[in-house]
Amino acid sequence: MGGEAFPWFFECIKDKGTVVNWVQLYGYPNKIMDLRPDFGIAPLCENYFNFSKSNIKALEQYAIGSAFIGGVFEHNVSPYDDCIL
């Protein structure tokens, strides 16, 4: 979401997905529900900014009945440590 094209590393699967333009804050939940994604991905780098993030991306996916893949850290607490396994 929010790009004009798939990143280069998704080139091999570009025909299996959809590029979605940015939407306004209040339109975001409806847009995600309309898309009905099978899963959401939220990779995180292990850095101080990401240590302080919430688990909202996981909660968004759970709320629409979608699977979620979130990044966890080797040496610190991740917002996705409590993800359903």
Side-chain angles (χ1 to χ4, degrees), residues 39 72 84:
F39 62 91
V72 294
I84 299 167

Side-chain angles (χ1 to χ4, degrees), residues 17-75:
T18 304
V19 175
V20 180
N21 291 325
W22 287 109
V23 296
Q24 294 294 325
L25 177 65
Y26 295 111
Y28 177 78
N30 290 331
K31 185 63 169 180
I32 295 299
M33 287 190 305
D34 289 344
L35 292 170
R36 298 179 54 211
D38 295 317
F39 62 91
I41 303 172
L44 294 174
C45 295
E46 191 167 354
N47 60 39
Y48 289 113
F49 176 75
N50 287 333
F51 298 156
S52 65
K53 283 188 171 186
S54 73
N55 64 348
I56 192 153
K57 290 297 171 193
L59 296 176
E60 287 173 353
Q61 295 302 308
Y62 301 154
I64 60 171
S66 181
F68 178 75
I69 302 167
V72 294
F73 307 133
E74 185 176 352
H75 303 291

Side-chain angles (χ1 to χ4, degrees), residues 8-24:
W8 63 268
F9 49 86
F10 283 148
E11 189 66 28
C12 62
I13 60 168
K14 69 180 180 181
D15 296 331
K16 298 181 183 217
T18 304
V19 175
V20 180
N21 291 325
W22 287 109
V23 296
Q24 294 294 325

